[in-house]
Structure formats: structure tokens, C-alpha cells
Amino acid sequence: MADNASPDNATDIRTAPTRTQDRPTEVTAAGIARLAGVGRAAVSNWRRRHADFPKPVGGTETSPAFALRDIEQWLRDQGKLAEVPLRERVWQQLVGHPAGAAAALRQAGAVLLLAHDRPAAWQQLRAAADDAELTGVLPAVLDAVLAARLGPGHPVRGLTREALAPSAALVRATGDLAAADGAAAAYDFLLGRHLDANPRQYTLTPPGPAALMAELAAVAGPSGTVLDPACGAGALLAAAGESTAGEGDAPGTLYGQEADADLAALTALRLALGVPDAQVRVRAADTLRADAFPDLSADAVLVHPPFNERNWGHDELAYDPRWEYGFPARTESELAWVQHALARLREGGTAVLLMPPAAASRRSGRRIRADLLRRGALRAVIALPAGAAPPNGVPLHLWVLRKPGTTPPAPQLLVVDTAGPATGARAGRDKPDWQSVRTTAVEAWRAFDRDGGIEEQPGVRRSLAAIDLLDDDVDLAPARHLPPPAAAGGPAELARVRERLTATLARTTALTPRPDAAAAGPARWPLTTVGELARAGALVLRAGGAGTAPAGGAAPAVLTDHDVIGGGAPTGALPEAPAPGPAEEPVLLQAGDVVVPVLGGGAVARVADDSTAGAALGRNLTLLRPDPAALDPWFLAGFLRGTANNRRASSYASTATRLDVRRLQLPRLPLADQRRYGQRFRDLAAFEEALRLTARLGEQLVQGLHDGLTDGAVTPD
């Protein structure tokens, strides 16, 4: 979801526990402050100073609750509500609805679908009816729209006259939001807020893996059908619709099934609004126990199944015809989902499942894996980087399956590792480089699917005959079958690494600083501080860490404190902008800026060059932008790295050393003398970078020789 929200939003408004149709939506002081864009203290002052401030209708003495309708009217009369974003007002009404946020979101989504599909009818209905008439007429109108888009038996239930009676204000505000933002964007925001406010209740598939899975399945055309039997919030089905929208076609029908009835209803509305050209059929039921689409033959199946589920129906489903490749053990729920996906595919159809890595190697599933290989059903296992999807500490796998036809292909398995150093996918410490992951996985799968095999790329991809995998373990983990890059290249690859190392060592020797003649004693320069230079206008000081990424837009990479300390390229990413409101502008680097870590970095300062320019400044970093007419950047950075200088400017009030950049000192020298020092500091920086490269190449050569000797690619001689 593009919009993020704090879970604290869910506590701003409270729900009355009794007769929901008779109780108004309530809001606490925190919710009032959020509505008016002020602090809690301001709300307390209003209550004391204004006799007409609404009286509490619930809550406790220390945390009273007020009727949202009365609060909004009071704020409007006082002129304090005009600048509150409409999105925020609708969200407050939704989360504080007496029937609960999920029920209110169903109502809001149905109204948005009506406004999207039948805008003229909605406007006419809204203009002609008062609140009582509106909520009285709406149920029949909404039922007709939902039946037309979601089919009979859809999960969006409970839109009765009684349920809608306390929702007139929400209904009208939702219509206003549809007119302002568009129905699809409005629902995307509201659903995103709801999911973000309940992070422990839902396991979501992130956009990166969802888009990759949809692209691997490659369903296009108006007659295509896609099934997700564990659809959750609908990320995979939405990605399937988006993957073909740019080509002019959306899948003909999106089928989904979800055990949580509330989530199934919300997902159905999301898909109906987000992929308007597709037919949407979402049902609420336990898929393995009560399959809603037993006769479906889909073109593609996309699944992010629940992992390590013991209560999946093992005892009651022993004789189910879906177990064509073997009855899964109680501990192998993922292999039950694999076989369900194959059972719902047409011949030649493709299924892509997000799987835990243990499913590729657990002994309890080896017989099913063996049969999947023998019959040509399992076509590829693709390892993703850690952090791709929850649980983020585990490098998950993608399994790509193809429903065998009457003449199955020669059993071959493609194994791909998108997380290895050879792919470049590990650009950041926490976030995978999804462009690199996508390119590696999609190119390998398309070539393999087209040709029935693929040229081996050490450490990245390999095509294996199924018979070579049918041992006692049937271990399909890609890492077990991909030789490391250096060893696979043999002596030739190791020789190239050695040549680079030799050349770098020679450059390091040439760059080794030569101590000049020692001065007679310590210099007695007149000194100034960074703070004084900033006050005089000789440089500009900026703190890092601010900034958010625009929803759906391009965002710069972030230079982190680890990048500065390690001398690497920017690897961080901006957080998404919390809705409502625009993205917050980050501090962007320019060539010649000096960047200093302020927390535990030691004596470090880095001058930004053209390759770093344009990156956003990360947390725990301070930027110094010198006036080139007054300060040389390399002179500035060099003197800031002095050990004694850092010791004087550091604070030890906590467990970490914190640097007060304003207290750092440097001498007052003419610009010509600054440049002399600056050139020497620039030479030292080049020497330092050469040393880093030498260390990396040395590690690569040593590990390559170990790998080559242990697998026989290199002999002891």
C-alpha cells in the first residue's frame, strides 16, 4: 500500500459497546487534535475556555469521548476545520464507527464502487435524499452494483438499512472523497490505513514479490483467468491486473478465496475498484476444506500460502482427489497448497507460489517433490533475498509450476539465486534491489521456458536434469546446486581476480603517501569553528533523516551513515509518505558537499562527488555545504577528520559517542593555502579507496581458491 499510518490512529476514536445504531461515532481528545491539526493541550484549552464546547458522551473521566458529529460542527463554526484534509476526516469517521472499522470500510467501499460505476446515479441519489432517505434507499442500490461487479455469493454483506443508519455522514464524506481523489485512490488510502493500523492481524505480500510473481505467471488478454486461493488483501491479484494494464488488457476474471470473511469483502472491493476492466469473484471460506471454485481451470494461480500451518485439514482430507502427487504430511501444509494450485490450473497453465525455504528440503516432503519433478510439474525454484516478504529474516523461495499436458516436457528444473553477490541484488542492508532481482529471475525463467534449458551462470542460475535430483533428500534449494562464481570460472576466473588485485596493489603503492619534511613544531594557526563559519555564511549546515518518498513516484536513494563510514554508494531508501498530505522533501546532496556522521562514526568526513550527488541525506548525518569562494571542500573534510578535533567536539553523555559538528575546528587560511591542503587530502582519499578495493579483491581471491580447491576446479599445484 502506498499510504502508511501509525497503529495509534486506531486508538484515537472509541467504539461504543451497545446498540450501534443508537450510538454516535465517538472521538477522543487525541482524535480532535488530529482533526484540527493541533496538540492535545490546545483541545484542553478549548474545553476550559469555550462554554459551548461539546460535552462528553462516553469514555472515562480522564479520557472522555465526544460525539464526532458535534465536534465537527463546533470546529466548523470556530473556523478550525477548514484546513483538515478530507482524507483525515473520512478516516476518523471510519475508524470510530460504532460497528467497527472493518464494517465501516465495507460500507465506504461499496459507496465508492457505486460512485465509480454509476456516478450519475450516485450524484442524483445523494442530492435528492436527506440522511434518512439516503440510508434507506442505499441498500438496494448497493446490492445491485455489487451483484453486477462481484457476482452472486459475493462476501460484501451487512449493508442493510439498520447497518447504514448511523453511517449517513460517512457515506456523504466518502462520496466527497471519491470526487476529490477518485474512487480507486480513495479506497486504496482507506484500506491501506486499516491494514497499517492492524499489522499483527494481517500478513501482507509486499509489492516487489507480488509484481515479480505476476510477471512470471505472464497472463495477458481479456480471456485470461487468475486465481489466488489464499488472497488475503489481494496484492497478488491486483499485481496480475496491473501487469497487463500497460499492454491494454486486464485478465478476464480474478478469482480469490480468503478464510477471513471481513478481509475477503475488503479485498473484493479493492479489486473491483483497482482493476475495473476485470470480472472479480472473491469468496469467503477455508480453501483447503471448502474450495469455492472446484470446477475452475485457471490460466494462472498465484499464492502466498500461510506457512507452517498444522491445522490445514490433514485428518479430514486424506482421500481428497487434489493430492495427485502424494498426501502431504501434517507438517507440509505448503505442499497441500502446491497441489491445490495444480488442481485448479488448465493444462499448460502456470502457478507461482511464495514458499518458505524449508519446503525445498524437508525430508517429510521428499516424495511429493520427487513426483513433481518426475512428471515435469515443478519447473523452477527461485531464491529471493532476505527481507523480500515476511518473515523478513528468511530468504524465501518462489516455486514456478506448470500443469503437465498429455506430452509433458523432459523433466528439467531451473534453479536461480537472486540473492547472491553475483546478481548485485544485495544493494542495501535491509531492502533488496528489486530491479536486479526482477531482471535476474524473469530473464532466467523466460529463457528456460522458451528453450527447455539455459546457459549456466555461476552463482546465479542453472538448469538441472530431474534425475540428478532424485536422491534420498530431493533437496531443491538453489544454493545447494549453484557453484560459487569464482570457483566455477576455474583458474581463468581466479587469474582475472589476481590480475586486478596485482594492479590495485601497484596503484596502492603509487598512492602511498610520502611524509614531507617535518615542521619545526605544531602549527599555531588562528582557529575557527564550523558553527562560526555557518553564522558567517561561509557554509550551510543541514541535518539528515527527513524526507519521504512520493506515493507511486520515483525517489532518490539515501546515503546512510554506514555508506559514509564504509565508503560505499547510497543504499538506503526513503520511507513512503504517510497519508494524508504530500511527500516531505529530503535534503539532497550536491557535488562538493561534506558529509559527517554524528553518531559513533569516529573521525570520518566524506566529500560528495558526481556519483553521490542527488542522493538523500540519511539519519545521523550532517551536511556541510561550503561556499566555494570561501572554503575548499577537501580542506574542510580533511581537517574535520583530525583525531584531536573529533575528541574535543564529542559528547559521551550516552552509551554512544555523539559528535557536535558545530564545535569542530579548522584553521583560518587563505583559499590558495586551503587548496594545497585540499589536494593532499584528496590524494589520501584516493589511497584509502584503493586500500578498500584491495581488501575486497583479496577476500574474493582467497575464497575463490578455497572453493576451487575443495570442489576440484583448482589443483594444489
Side-chain angles (χ1 to χ4, degrees):
M1 287 296 163
D3 301 295
N4 292 313
S6 168
D8 293 342
N9 289 330
T11 64
D12 289 344
I13 296 178
R14 298 180 180 176
T15 301
T18 60
R19 297 185 62 194
T20 59
Q21 66 268 31
D22 297 333
R23 296 294 301 272
T25 300
E26 298 177 3
V27 60
T28 65
I32 298 171
R34 196 181 295 272
L35 275 173
V38 298
R40 290 280 300 275
V43 178
S44 298
N45 286 334
W46 293 343
R47 292 185 63 195
R48 288 195 301 267
R49 294 173 54 192
H50 296 276
D52 61 341
F53 192 89
K55 302 301 180 185
V57 297
T60 65
E61 184 176 349
T62 57
S63 182
F66 306 83
L68 178 60
R69 179 181 59 244
D70 297 342
I71 289 294
E72 285 185 330
Q73 185 60 51
W74 188 87
L75 291 173
R76 191 175 291 109
D77 294 342
Q78 297 290 324
K80 302 179 186 298
L81 194 64
E83 297 182 2
V84 178
L86 177 60
R87 281 183 164 192
E88 184 64 33
R89 279 186 279 160
V90 175
W91 168 251
Q92 293 284 6
Q93 292 179 356
L94 186 147
V95 75
H97 194 281
L105 191 51
R106 284 200 306 271
Q107 297 172 8
V111 171
L112 289 169
L113 187 60
L114 171 61
H116 180 275
D117 285 9
R118 303 179 186 179
W122 160 246
Q123 291 299 337
Q124 182 180 4
L125 176 65
R126 186 182 179 209
D130 60 22
D131 285 358
E133 292 171 334
L134 180 63
T135 56
V137 173
L138 265 180
V141 179
L142 295 179
D143 281 347
V145 172
L146 292 167
R149 288 300 307 277
L150 304 179
H154 65 78
V156 187
R157 306 294 187 189
L159 303 180
T160 63
R161 179 192 297 263
E162 292 75 20
L164 290 171
S167 305
L170 174 63
V171 167
R172 293 188 184 277
T174 300
D176 293 340
L177 187 58
D181 292 359
Y187 188 74
D188 194 47
F189 161 72
L190 295 174
L191 178 61
R193 269 282 186 98
H194 176 67
L195 297 175
D196 289 339
N198 300 276
R200 297 185 179 181
Q201 187 175 346
Y202 306 110
T203 299
L204 306 179
T205 308
L212 174 58
M213 293 170 69
E215 191 167 3
L216 291 171
V219 176
S223 62
T225 57
V226 184
L227 167 69
D228 182 351
C231 63
L236 295 178
L237 292 174
E242 292 169 3
S243 68
T244 55
E247 303 170 8
D249 288 320
T253 308
L254 300 174
Y255 293 91
Q257 188 165 347
E258 167 58 39
D260 185 319
D262 281 339
L263 188 56
L266 302 183
T267 298
L269 291 165
R270 174 190 183 182
L271 296 172
L273 285 162
V275 194
D277 295 329
Q279 291 292 317
V280 175
R281 299 291 182 266
V282 176
R283 301 295 177 261
D286 183 325
T287 296
L288 295 181
R289 290 185 171 91
D291 184 9
F293 309 107
D295 301 321
L296 180 65
S297 294
D299 295 293
V301 178
L302 303 174
V303 196
H304 178 179
F307 296 162
N308 304 317
E309 179 65 53
R310 296 297 183 98
N311 184 28
W312 58 268
H314 177 271
D315 294 338
E316 59 262 47
L317 298 174
Y319 300 102
D320 195 289
R322 288 173 292 183
W323 316 142
E324 186 178 347
Y325 299 86
F327 181 42
R330 188 185 301 276
T331 56
E332 294 286 353
S333 61
E334 296 87 2
L335 294 182
W337 287 100
V338 165
Q339 295 190 76
H340 175 82
L342 285 168
R344 295 297 163 261
L345 279 175
R346 63 165 174 81
E347 286 190 4
T350 304
V352 184
L353 287 87
L354 188 63
M355 301 282 280
S361 56
R362 282 191 296 241
R363 288 188 61 82
S364 56
R366 66 189 186 279
R367 292 182 180 176
I368 294 177
R369 293 196 299 271
D371 207 26
L372 290 168
L373 287 174
R374 287 191 194 97
R375 299 172 60 180
L378 181 57
R379 307 291 290 141
V381 177
I382 301 171
L384 300 177
N392 290 309
V394 178
L396 302 178
H397 291 172
L398 292 179
W399 284 23
V400 184
L401 301 107
R402 182 69 53 75
K403 179 76 172 279
T406 54
T407 56
Q412 291 278 329
L413 180 72
L414 170 68
V415 291
V416 182
D417 187 358
T418 66
T423 68
R426 303 288 286 174
R429 293 183 303 133
D430 301 315
K431 293 182 176 293
D433 178 0
W434 272 107
Q435 182 58 37
S436 178
V437 171
R438 190 204 70 82
T439 300
T440 302
V442 173
E443 288 184 355
W445 166 246
R446 287 180 176 171
F448 175 83
D449 193 38
R450 180 184 62 245
D451 303 330
I454 195 170
E455 180 181 353
E456 180 177 312
Q457 185 176 345
V460 178
R461 65 190 196 189
R462 186 182 182 189
S463 177
L464 300 164
I467 193 171
D468 295 334
L469 298 166
L470 299 178
D471 54 16
D472 289 339
D473 295 322
V474 196
D475 190 336
L476 308 182
R480 304 288 173 86
H481 305 288
L482 291 170
E493 176 65 24
L494 293 175
R496 282 190 290 271
V497 175
R498 182 177 182 276
E499 289 172 3
R500 288 190 63 197
L501 177 59
T502 302
T504 306
L505 285 170
R507 183 168 181 266
T508 304
T509 302
L511 290 171
T512 301
R514 176 181 56 82
D516 292 326
R524 301 296 181 183
W525 295 304
L527 298 174
T528 186
T529 66
V530 168
E532 291 173 348
L533 291 170
R535 288 191 292 272
L539 58 81
V540 175
L541 273 174
R542 300 290 299 275
T548 53
V558 175
L559 184 73
T560 68
D561 52 347
H562 296 275
D563 301 331
V564 174
I565 295 169
T571 62
L574 289 172
E576 293 180 343
E584 181 183 356
E585 291 294 329
V587 178
L588 299 181
L589 293 170
Q590 298 177 7
D593 289 345
V594 177
V595 182
V596 182
V598 298
L599 193 63
V604 178
R606 175 172 172 179
V607 179
D609 56 15
D610 291 335
S611 65
T612 315
L617 188 69
R619 296 179 58 191
N620 299 322
L621 293 175
T622 296
L623 176 148
L624 293 80
R625 182 166 292 160
D627 179 353
L631 282 173
D632 179 82
W634 286 99
F635 163 80
L636 174 62
F639 273 94
L640 296 187
R641 288 189 61 171
T643 301
N645 201 3
N646 275 260
R647 187 180 299 116
R648 284 190 294 265
S650 295
S651 168
Y652 304 94
S654 65
T655 56
T657 305
R658 188 169 190 87
L659 183 68
D660 185 350
V661 176
R662 290 179 175 273
R663 295 171 58 189
L664 289 169
Q665 297 179 334
L666 62 159
R668 296 179 182 270
L669 294 179
L671 192 57
D673 290 342
Q674 291 183 33
R675 288 172 177 160
R676 287 176 49 232
Y677 277 96
Q679 183 58 51
R680 192 63 186 270
F681 287 133
R682 187 193 294 259
D683 294 341
L684 283 173
F687 175 63
E688 186 176 40
E689 179 56 34
L691 289 176
R692 288 195 185 101
L693 179 58
T694 300
R696 291 195 295 269
L697 289 171
E699 290 175 0
Q700 187 177 349
L701 180 61
V702 170
Q703 188 60 53
L705 286 169
H706 274 284
D707 293 338
L709 287 165
T710 55
D711 69 9
V714 177
T715 67
D717 298 331

